[in-house]
Short mmCIF file of all heavy atoms in Angstrom, two decimals:
data_model
loop_
_atom_site.label_atom_id
_atom_site.label_comp_id
_atom_site.label_asym_id
_atom_site.label_seq_id
_atom_site.Cartn_x
_atom_site.Cartn_y
_atom_site.Cartn_z
N LEU G 22 149.44 85.04 127.55
CA LEU G 22 148.69 85.20 128.79
C LEU G 22 149.43 84.44 129.88
O LEU G 22 149.76 83.27 129.71
CB LEU G 22 147.29 84.62 128.64
CG LEU G 22 146.36 85.36 127.70
CD1 LEU G 22 145.18 84.50 127.31
CD2 LEU G 22 145.89 86.65 128.37
N ARG G 23 149.71 85.11 130.97
CA ARG G 23 150.25 84.42 132.14
C ARG G 23 149.04 84.00 132.97
O ARG G 23 148.28 84.82 133.47
CB ARG G 23 151.17 85.32 132.94
CG ARG G 23 151.71 84.62 134.16
CD ARG G 23 153.07 85.04 134.56
NE ARG G 23 154.05 84.80 133.53
CZ ARG G 23 155.21 85.45 133.45
NH1 ARG G 23 155.53 86.35 134.36
NH2 ARG G 23 156.06 85.18 132.48
N CYS G 24 148.86 82.70 133.08
CA CYS G 24 147.68 82.14 133.73
C CYS G 24 148.03 81.50 135.07
O CYS G 24 149.09 80.90 135.22
CB CYS G 24 147.06 81.06 132.85
SG CYS G 24 146.45 81.68 131.26
N GLU G 25 147.10 81.64 136.00
CA GLU G 25 147.15 80.82 137.20
C GLU G 25 146.59 79.47 136.81
O GLU G 25 145.57 79.39 136.11
CB GLU G 25 146.33 81.45 138.32
CG GLU G 25 146.91 82.75 138.82
CD GLU G 25 146.11 83.35 139.96
OE1 GLU G 25 145.05 82.79 140.34
OE2 GLU G 25 146.53 84.39 140.47
N LEU G 26 147.27 78.42 137.21
CA LEU G 26 146.90 77.07 136.84
C LEU G 26 146.62 76.26 138.09
O LEU G 26 147.45 76.22 139.00
CB LEU G 26 148.04 76.43 136.04
CG LEU G 26 147.98 74.94 135.77
CD1 LEU G 26 146.79 74.58 134.89
CD2 LEU G 26 149.28 74.48 135.11
N LEU G 27 145.46 75.66 138.16
CA LEU G 27 145.10 74.77 139.26
C LEU G 27 145.14 73.35 138.71
O LEU G 27 144.37 72.99 137.82
CB LEU G 27 143.71 75.10 139.79
CG LEU G 27 143.26 74.33 141.03
CD1 LEU G 27 144.12 74.70 142.24
CD2 LEU G 27 141.79 74.61 141.32
N ILE G 28 146.08 72.56 139.24
CA ILE G 28 146.27 71.19 138.77
C ILE G 28 145.70 70.23 139.80
O ILE G 28 146.01 70.33 141.00
CB ILE G 28 147.77 70.87 138.58
CG1 ILE G 28 148.43 71.85 137.62
CG2 ILE G 28 147.96 69.43 138.10
CD1 ILE G 28 149.95 71.71 137.55
N THR G 29 144.89 69.30 139.34
CA THR G 29 144.43 68.21 140.20
C THR G 29 145.46 67.09 140.09
O THR G 29 145.79 66.64 138.98
CB THR G 29 143.05 67.70 139.74
OG1 THR G 29 142.14 68.79 139.73
CG2 THR G 29 142.54 66.60 140.65
N LEU G 30 145.99 66.67 141.22
CA LEU G 30 147.02 65.64 141.24
C LEU G 30 146.40 64.25 141.35
O LEU G 30 145.23 64.10 141.71
CB LEU G 30 147.99 65.88 142.40
CG LEU G 30 148.73 67.22 142.36
CD1 LEU G 30 149.59 67.37 143.61
CD2 LEU G 30 149.57 67.34 141.10
N ARG G 31 147.20 63.25 141.07
CA ARG G 31 146.74 61.85 141.09
C ARG G 31 146.10 61.47 142.43
O ARG G 31 145.13 60.74 142.48
CB ARG G 31 147.89 60.91 140.78
CG ARG G 31 148.34 60.98 139.34
CD ARG G 31 149.51 60.06 139.07
NE ARG G 31 149.97 60.21 137.70
CZ ARG G 31 149.48 59.51 136.68
NH1 ARG G 31 148.56 58.61 136.87
NH2 ARG G 31 149.96 59.72 135.46
N ALA G 32 146.66 61.97 143.53
CA ALA G 32 146.14 61.63 144.86
C ALA G 32 144.92 62.47 145.25
O ALA G 32 144.38 62.31 146.33
CB ALA G 32 147.25 61.79 145.90
N GLY G 33 144.50 63.39 144.37
CA GLY G 33 143.34 64.23 144.66
C GLY G 33 143.68 65.60 145.19
O GLY G 33 142.81 66.47 145.26
N ASP G 34 144.94 65.82 145.58
CA ASP G 34 145.36 67.16 146.02
C ASP G 34 145.27 68.11 144.84
O ASP G 34 145.28 67.69 143.67
CB ASP G 34 146.82 67.14 146.51
CG ASP G 34 147.03 66.26 147.72
OD1 ASP G 34 146.08 66.09 148.51
OD2 ASP G 34 148.14 65.74 147.88
N ARG G 35 145.24 69.40 145.14
CA ARG G 35 145.29 70.43 144.10
C ARG G 35 146.45 71.34 144.42
O ARG G 35 146.67 71.70 145.57
CB ARG G 35 143.99 71.20 144.05
CG ARG G 35 142.85 70.35 143.52
CD ARG G 35 141.69 71.23 143.13
NE ARG G 35 140.69 70.47 142.43
CZ ARG G 35 139.56 70.05 142.98
NH1 ARG G 35 139.30 70.32 144.23
NH2 ARG G 35 138.69 69.38 142.26
N VAL G 36 147.17 71.72 143.38
CA VAL G 36 148.29 72.64 143.53
C VAL G 36 148.15 73.76 142.51
O VAL G 36 147.52 73.60 141.47
CB VAL G 36 149.66 71.92 143.35
CG1 VAL G 36 149.90 70.94 144.48
CG2 VAL G 36 149.78 71.25 142.00
N MET G 37 148.77 74.89 142.83
CA MET G 37 148.73 76.05 141.97
C MET G 37 150.09 76.26 141.33
O MET G 37 151.12 76.06 141.96
CB MET G 37 148.35 77.29 142.78
CG MET G 37 147.92 78.49 141.96
SD MET G 37 149.24 79.43 141.19
CE MET G 37 149.61 80.61 142.43
N SER G 38 150.07 76.64 140.06
CA SER G 38 151.28 76.99 139.35
C SER G 38 150.93 78.13 138.40
O SER G 38 149.78 78.60 138.38
CB SER G 38 151.81 75.78 138.57
OG SER G 38 153.06 76.07 137.98
N LEU G 39 151.90 78.58 137.65
CA LEU G 39 151.67 79.56 136.60
C LEU G 39 152.02 78.92 135.27
O LEU G 39 152.91 78.07 135.20
CB LEU G 39 152.54 80.80 136.82
CG LEU G 39 152.26 81.59 138.09
CD1 LEU G 39 153.29 82.72 138.25
CD2 LEU G 39 150.85 82.18 138.09
N LEU G 40 151.31 79.33 134.24
CA LEU G 40 151.56 78.80 132.91
C LEU G 40 151.35 79.91 131.89
O LEU G 40 150.29 80.53 131.87
CB LEU G 40 150.63 77.62 132.62
CG LEU G 40 150.74 76.97 131.24
CD1 LEU G 40 152.14 76.43 130.99
CD2 LEU G 40 149.70 75.86 131.10
N ASP G 41 152.36 80.16 131.07
CA ASP G 41 152.22 81.12 129.98
C ASP G 41 151.60 80.40 128.79
O ASP G 41 152.07 79.34 128.38
CB ASP G 41 153.59 81.70 129.60
CG ASP G 41 154.12 82.68 130.64
OD1 ASP G 41 153.33 83.11 131.51
OD2 ASP G 41 155.31 83.02 130.59
N VAL G 42 150.52 81.00 128.26
CA VAL G 42 149.74 80.39 127.19
C VAL G 42 149.54 81.42 126.09
O VAL G 42 149.20 82.57 126.37
CB VAL G 42 148.37 79.92 127.73
CG1 VAL G 42 147.52 79.32 126.64
CG2 VAL G 42 148.54 78.94 128.88
N LEU G 43 149.71 80.99 124.85
CA LEU G 43 149.43 81.89 123.73
C LEU G 43 147.92 82.11 123.62
O LEU G 43 147.14 81.17 123.85
CB LEU G 43 149.97 81.30 122.43
CG LEU G 43 151.48 81.09 122.38
CD1 LEU G 43 151.88 80.50 121.02
CD2 LEU G 43 152.24 82.37 122.64
N PRO G 44 147.50 83.32 123.28
CA PRO G 44 146.06 83.60 123.19
C PRO G 44 145.32 82.65 122.25
O PRO G 44 144.19 82.25 122.53
CB PRO G 44 146.00 85.05 122.68
CG PRO G 44 147.31 85.63 123.06
CD PRO G 44 148.31 84.51 123.02
N ASP G 45 145.96 82.28 121.13
CA ASP G 45 145.31 81.36 120.19
C ASP G 45 145.11 79.97 120.76
O ASP G 45 144.26 79.21 120.29
CB ASP G 45 146.10 81.27 118.89
CG ASP G 45 146.02 82.54 118.06
OD1 ASP G 45 145.14 83.38 118.32
OD2 ASP G 45 146.83 82.69 117.12
N ASP G 46 145.89 79.62 121.79
CA ASP G 46 145.70 78.33 122.47
C ASP G 46 144.69 78.45 123.60
O ASP G 46 144.01 77.48 123.93
CB ASP G 46 147.03 77.82 123.04
CG ASP G 46 148.03 77.45 121.95
OD1 ASP G 46 147.61 77.09 120.83
OD2 ASP G 46 149.25 77.50 122.23
N PHE G 47 144.58 79.65 124.20
CA PHE G 47 143.69 79.87 125.34
C PHE G 47 142.23 80.00 124.90
O PHE G 47 141.33 79.38 125.49
CB PHE G 47 144.12 81.13 126.09
CG PHE G 47 143.33 81.42 127.33
CD1 PHE G 47 143.65 80.83 128.54
CD2 PHE G 47 142.25 82.31 127.30
CE1 PHE G 47 142.92 81.09 129.69
CE2 PHE G 47 141.52 82.58 128.44
CZ PHE G 47 141.86 81.97 129.64
N THR G 48 141.99 80.78 123.87
CA THR G 48 140.63 81.14 123.46
C THR G 48 139.72 79.93 123.22
O THR G 48 138.59 79.92 123.71
CB THR G 48 140.68 82.05 122.22
OG1 THR G 48 141.43 83.22 122.56
CG2 THR G 48 139.30 82.44 121.75
N PRO G 49 140.16 78.91 122.48
CA PRO G 49 139.23 77.81 122.19
C PRO G 49 138.98 76.83 123.35
O PRO G 49 138.11 75.97 123.24
CB PRO G 49 139.89 77.08 121.02
CG PRO G 49 141.33 77.38 121.13
CD PRO G 49 141.42 78.75 121.74
N LEU G 50 139.72 76.96 124.44
CA LEU G 50 139.53 76.04 125.56
C LEU G 50 138.14 76.22 126.16
O LEU G 50 137.63 77.34 126.22
CB LEU G 50 140.59 76.29 126.63
CG LEU G 50 142.03 76.00 126.23
CD1 LEU G 50 142.99 76.49 127.32
CD2 LEU G 50 142.25 74.52 125.95
N PRO G 51 137.53 75.14 126.62
CA PRO G 51 136.19 75.26 127.22
C PRO G 51 136.25 76.02 128.54
O PRO G 51 137.20 75.90 129.30
CB PRO G 51 135.75 73.81 127.43
CG PRO G 51 137.00 73.01 127.43
CD PRO G 51 138.01 73.76 126.61
N ARG G 52 135.22 76.81 128.77
CA ARG G 52 135.16 77.55 130.04
C ARG G 52 134.24 76.84 131.01
O ARG G 52 133.44 75.99 130.62
CB ARG G 52 134.77 78.98 129.81
CG ARG G 52 133.49 79.18 129.11
CD ARG G 52 133.26 80.63 128.83
NE ARG G 52 132.78 80.70 127.46
CZ ARG G 52 132.40 81.78 126.88
NH1 ARG G 52 132.46 82.91 127.48
NH2 ARG G 52 131.97 81.76 125.65
#
């Protein structure tokens, strides 16, 4: 899965990136 990733930075800013994730790693993550 190619995911859009929203990262909260140490200073409180948020940035967007992309992250490829295997489905078996994505499915159990909390929604």
